Amino acid sequence: MLSMQALSVSDPAISRALRPLEANGLVQVTVDPDHARRRLVRLTDAGRNAFHTAGKPLYDEFRTALIAAGFPYDRYLQDTLRLAELLASD
């Protein structure tokens, strides 16, 4: 499950990549009040809908492939979520 919290980003390449998503109403980008050079990124309702429409089938396919390869999916998910927390806490 995706967190509904904002993700803080500061890398210029990520900021450039977010511009079309913001222009299409898929994400909302605001200035991080704790760090003026960073931006907070949140999925909009349209972004969540797009994820569930386009992203979920890809997610399901990826999960199926990992399981078929014998990879412990639950461990992968835990590690991925922990990594996301660490990156967001910078």
Side-chain angles (χ1 to χ4, degrees):
M1 174 66 67
L2 289 175
S3 170
M4 294 301 128
Q5 296 180 345
L7 173 66
S8 178
V9 297
S10 58
D11 187 308
I14 293 173
S15 294
R16 282 190 300 276
L18 288 170
R19 284 185 195 132
L21 298 174
E22 184 177 25
N24 287 316
L26 300 174
V27 297
Q28 176 186 32
V29 181
T30 57
V31 174
D32 185 336
D34 297 327
H35 194 293
R37 294 183 65 191
R38 290 187 180 164
R39 302 293 178 258
L40 297 176
V41 181
R42 286 188 177 84
L43 281 175
T44 63
D45 288 340
R48 275 188 283 287
N49 290 338
F51 169 76
H52 289 294
T53 300
K56 182 141 180 21
L58 179 60
Y59 163 84
D60 290 340
E61 186 174 325
F62 181 67
R63 180 177 184 274
T64 300
L66 284 175
I67 292 169
F71 196 87
Y73 182 76
D74 290 337
R75 175 65 190 269
Y76 161 80
L77 183 58
Q78 289 172 351
D79 290 347
T80 301
L81 292 173
R82 179 66 183 132
L83 177 60
E85 287 174 11
L86 290 171
L87 292 172
S89 68
D90 180 5

